[in-house]
Amino acid sequence: MSTDHGLFGPDSITWRVHREPMVTVGGLRSLYLQALLPRAVAGVEQNSNYRQDPWGRLARTSTFVTTVIYGTTEEAEKAGARVRKIHSRMTAVDRRTGERFRIDDPELLRWVHVTEVESYLTAVLRGGLRLAPEEMDEYHREQTRAAALVGLDPATVPDSVAAVEAYYERMRPELALTVDSAATGIFLTMPPLPYGLGLTPVRGAAFGVSALAIGLLPPWARKLYGLPGLPTTDLVTSVNARVLGRLLRQVPIEWIESPARKRAMERLRPRN
């Protein structure tokens, strides 16, 4: 049996969280959050072809995340090195000030990391996964290893639920709905679907997932998008998330698991 289970391993909270299909909704939620930081969304708009190839971009991001979660240590480190190399060559211009900035600015990397990790955890919890408070904190601590792969100093990354909440409070004055973030939000809600699926019921299902991701946003984030931040929205969203989470858990994991997870499961099997 291989002893290299990667950065986390089968006994980690990370593997428990990312086994849940609801992490996909969390990933979408994180994109809505990330778009509210003007420099972050400007960096994406000026360096990415996601509008021309949204599903290719999604596949590449998913491959990176699952490799970090389930890959061997060497695979995770190589994936991180590739991302750092790409980011090191990228810059963008702040449309508000005209200032050019680097995409690998730690402030931007930290925002992307925290919103992703917090969104994954929020989605799976609202979808029905039960974790004790100390397990939630452990998930954030484990994820500082992933933060290091993209070039962050783990000591500068929020590593508990309380630390993430404090981080959001510090960041809120810097958040705004810009032209870029509004356009990104609209695109995320109504993306083009391949193979003519936009003319089928799949469009309604996709819109429902987007609506759920928006409903899972913190009230202050929904308000920035000009949407209700009412407690009733949270209540309805929690019910819908719990129903979807229960339905998705009925799907055999083998049908939807990533190639990286399949390889990780194979490494766990005893070898004769």
Side-chain angles (χ1 to χ4, degrees), residues 35 45 65 68-69 72 86 119-121 124 131-132 140 163 168 172 180-181 188 208 210 214 227 236 242 247 251 261:
E45 288 288 334
V65 171
V68 170
I69 300 300
T72 64
I86 292 170
S119 290
Y120 292 145
L121 185 58
V124 300
L131 292 177
H140 284 292
Y168 278 159
R172 282 178 61 181
D180 283 342
S181 55
L188 292 172
S210 297
I214 292 170
L227 301 169
V236 171
R242 186 62 63 91
L247 288 173
V251 179
R261 187 181 187 278

Side-chain angles (χ1 to χ4, degrees), residues 5 10 13 25 29 54 57 63 72 95 115 120 137 154 170 172 174 176 178 184 210 215 220 235 240-242 245:
H5 301 315
I13 305 299
V25 181
R29 175 191 186 268
R57 170 66 186 269
T63 296
T72 64
R95 300 186 194 278
T115 53
Y120 292 145
D137 288 342
R170 292 196 304 273
R172 282 178 61 181
E174 300 182 33
T178 64
T184 298
S210 297
W220 50 262
L235 178 60
N240 290 338
R242 186 62 63 91

Side-chain angles (χ1 to χ4, degrees), residues 152-171:
L152 284 165
D153 177 356
T156 69
V157 178
D159 61 356
S160 68
V161 172
V164 169
E165 291 176 353
Y167 172 75
Y168 278 159
E169 284 299 314
R170 292 196 304 273
M171 292 297 294

Side-chain angles (χ1 to χ4, degrees), residues 20 107 109 116 131 164 168-169 192 195 231 244 272:
E20 295 289 314
E107 290 293 338
L109 296 178
E116 282 185 355
L131 292 177
V164 169
Y168 278 159
E169 284 299 314
Y195 312 119
L244 180 59
N272 295 328

Side-chain angles (χ1 to χ4, degrees), residues 179-217:
V179 172
D180 283 342
S181 55
T184 298
I186 293 171
F187 186 86
L188 292 172
T189 304
M190 295 291 288
L193 297 178
Y195 312 119
L197 292 174
L199 302 176
T200 72
V202 173
R203 167 61 70 192
F207 181 79
V209 172
S210 297
L212 179 59
I214 292 170
L216 288 171
L217 290 170

Side-chain angles (χ1 to χ4, degrees), residues 13-265:
I13 305 299
T14 291
W15 275 34
R16 286 178 62 186
V17 167
H18 286 265
R19 185 182 186 280
E20 295 289 314
M22 280 292 290
V23 295
T24 301
V25 181
L28 180 57
R29 175 191 186 268
S30 74
L31 297 179
Y32 284 104
L33 271 179
Q34 289 164 20
L36 291 174
L37 185 64
R39 285 198 172 196
V41 72
V44 172
E45 288 288 334
Q46 295 172 41
N47 286 278
S48 173
N49 68 338
Y50 79 94
R51 290 183 184 277
Q52 292 74 39
D53 185 25
W55 302 105
R57 170 66 186 269
L58 176 63
R60 290 188 293 275
T61 300
S62 177
T63 296
F64 171 74
V65 171
T66 56
T67 298
V68 170
I69 300 300
Y70 294 113
T72 64
T73 303
E74 181 181 8
E75 289 170 343
E77 290 177 346
K78 284 183 176 179
R82 286 193 296 270
V83 167
R84 294 196 304 274
K85 183 176 180 179
I86 292 170
H87 286 170
S88 70
R89 300 194 297 259
M90 291 181 175
T91 63
V93 174
D94 188 327
R95 300 186 194 278
R96 302 165 302 169
T97 65
E99 178 186 358
R100 182 166 293 278
F101 60 91
R102 293 175 60 94
I103 298 302
D104 58 4
D105 180 335
E107 290 293 338
L108 299 184
L109 296 178
R110 188 158 35 250
W111 175 248
V112 171
H113 171 82
V114 173
T115 53
E116 282 185 355
V117 172
E118 186 270 331
S119 290
Y120 292 145
L121 185 58
T122 293
V124 300
L125 291 174
R126 300 278 286 275
L129 179 66
R130 295 183 179 180
L131 292 177
E134 57 271 20
E135 292 174 318
M136 299 178 206
D137 288 342
E138 178 61 21
Y139 175 65
H140 284 292
R141 282 192 293 272
E142 290 174 357
Q143 286 300 303
T144 62
R145 303 170 203 164
L149 289 182
V150 298
L152 284 165
D153 177 356
T156 69
V157 178
D159 61 356
S160 68
V161 172
V164 169
E165 291 176 353
Y167 172 75
Y168 278 159
E169 284 299 314
R170 292 196 304 273
M171 292 297 294
R172 282 178 61 181
E174 300 182 33
L175 307 181
L177 184 67
T178 64
V179 172
D180 283 342
S181 55
T184 298
I186 293 171
F187 186 86
L188 292 172
T189 304
M190 295 291 288
L193 297 178
Y195 312 119
L197 292 174
L199 302 176
T200 72
V202 173
R203 167 61 70 192
F207 181 79
V209 172
S210 297
L212 179 59
I214 292 170
L216 288 171
L217 290 170
W220 50 262
R222 295 201 302 270
K223 289 179 181 178
L224 281 174
Y225 276 111
L227 301 169
L230 303 173
T232 51
T233 303
D234 289 318
L235 178 60
V236 171
T237 298
S238 290
V239 172
N240 290 338
R242 186 62 63 91
V243 170
L244 180 59
R246 186 179 300 117
L247 288 173
L248 290 176
R249 279 191 214 96
Q250 305 309 309
V251 179
I253 187 66
E254 294 79 11
W255 293 8
I256 58 176
E257 68 179 341
S258 67
R261 187 181 187 278
K262 288 181 180 179
R263 292 193 296 271
M265 294 300 102

